[in-house]
Amino acid sequence: MGLIYSYDIQLPPRNVAGALIRVAELAPPTRDVPPLGVTLPGGERVVVPFTSGFRSEPVDCSAGGTFELDTSLMFRIDDAVRAYLEARGGGVEENGRVQIGYVYATVRLASPLHPGYASIEFWAATSAMSRLFAASASVRELFTDLTAAAGGVCCLFDTGDGGPGEVCWLNGEPTRETIGGSRFPDLQALAATWPDPDVTVFPRAPSAPRGKG
């Protein structure tokens, strides 16, 4: 079995629609798929330039639950991203950013780590991409910036193989803390530091124009 690394963003459920809009802003400008409508609890509807299960049928999560997205995102080029692309014949660059392939996203409207939160987990599609997720400061930056912009409380990097995860963003600040260390012996200890999702939402960063850092 190959490597399956991911970045997992925890956020208040009411922020999911805004987070999906911001994810859509990271898509390649030339993304050529039919728009996908997603209905969230309360009837809120978001349209994104992705597929779900590689299909474009509308997704109805008005009653809650979980859904999948096949996303395609533009990452800032750093040495790790450049080496990844060169090994695969290059990529199309636009404004210093480049697409690295499919990044699968699982949207859980009730997080398994805290029932009051939702989560959006972004999965690397291949072992090589998983290694890139671990090596690239640009990849980490994209997901921590997205956490901040979406009003998220936490971003976790998970190797998915039982190894210790790493906290990349926590309660409004970037960080590097290992799950299993003295501060966070387990995920329950981490979740206990999150504020009440019905009371506290961290400031949302302004949207960056597509292709800008």
Side-chain angles (χ1 to χ4, degrees):
M1 183 175 178
L3 303 176
I4 307 176
Y5 294 178
S6 67
Y7 282 91
D8 190 1
I9 296 172
Q10 306 287 324
L11 69 167
R14 64 180 174 275
N15 291 21
V16 169
L20 293 178
I21 291 169
R22 292 175 185 276
V23 175
E25 292 171 351
L26 298 170
T30 56
R31 180 84 168 135
D32 187 21
V33 295
L36 176 73
V38 178
T39 304
L40 299 169
E44 189 168 14
R45 188 172 183 270
V46 178
V47 177
V48 295
F50 307 124
T51 54
S52 180
F54 294 100
R55 297 160 65 93
S56 296
E57 282 78 3
V59 172
D60 185 357
C61 275
S62 55
T66 298
F67 62 94
E68 309 289 335
L69 293 174
D70 319 304
T71 77
S72 195
L73 309 177
M74 298 289 284
F75 292 85
R76 180 179 57 79
I77 298 174
D78 63 6
D79 289 345
V81 170
R82 183 176 291 106
Y84 176 87
L85 293 170
E86 287 176 351
R88 285 151 188 80
V92 178
E93 179 182 345
E94 180 165 321
N95 296 324
R97 291 182 179 266
V98 69
Q99 177 185 348
I100 63 171
Y102 281 110
V103 177
Y104 302 123
T106 300
V107 183
R108 301 178 179 93
L109 297 175
S111 169
L113 299 185
H114 189 304
Y117 279 90
S119 70
I120 306 177
E121 188 164 10
F122 294 88
W123 306 82
T126 65
S127 292
M129 189 186 292
S130 287
R131 296 186 188 96
L132 176 65
F133 271 30
S136 171
S138 168
V139 171
R140 176 183 293 259
E141 176 187 81
L142 182 142
F143 292 118
T144 55
D145 283 357
L146 179 59
T147 305
V153 293
C154 185
C155 180
L156 286 163
F157 176 64
D158 184 8
T159 59
D161 57 4
E166 183 177 76
V167 186
C168 308
W169 179 273
L170 181 63
N171 296 338
E173 299 290 340
T175 187
R176 284 182 178 266
E177 295 276 355
T178 301
I179 301 299
S182 58
R183 185 180 180 191
F184 302 121
D186 53 35
L187 290 171
Q188 289 70 33
L190 172 66
T193 69
W194 303 345
D196 183 338
D198 293 325
V199 175
T200 303
V201 178
F202 290 98
R204 302 186 187 189
S207 297
R210 179 176 289 171
K212 302 293 184 183

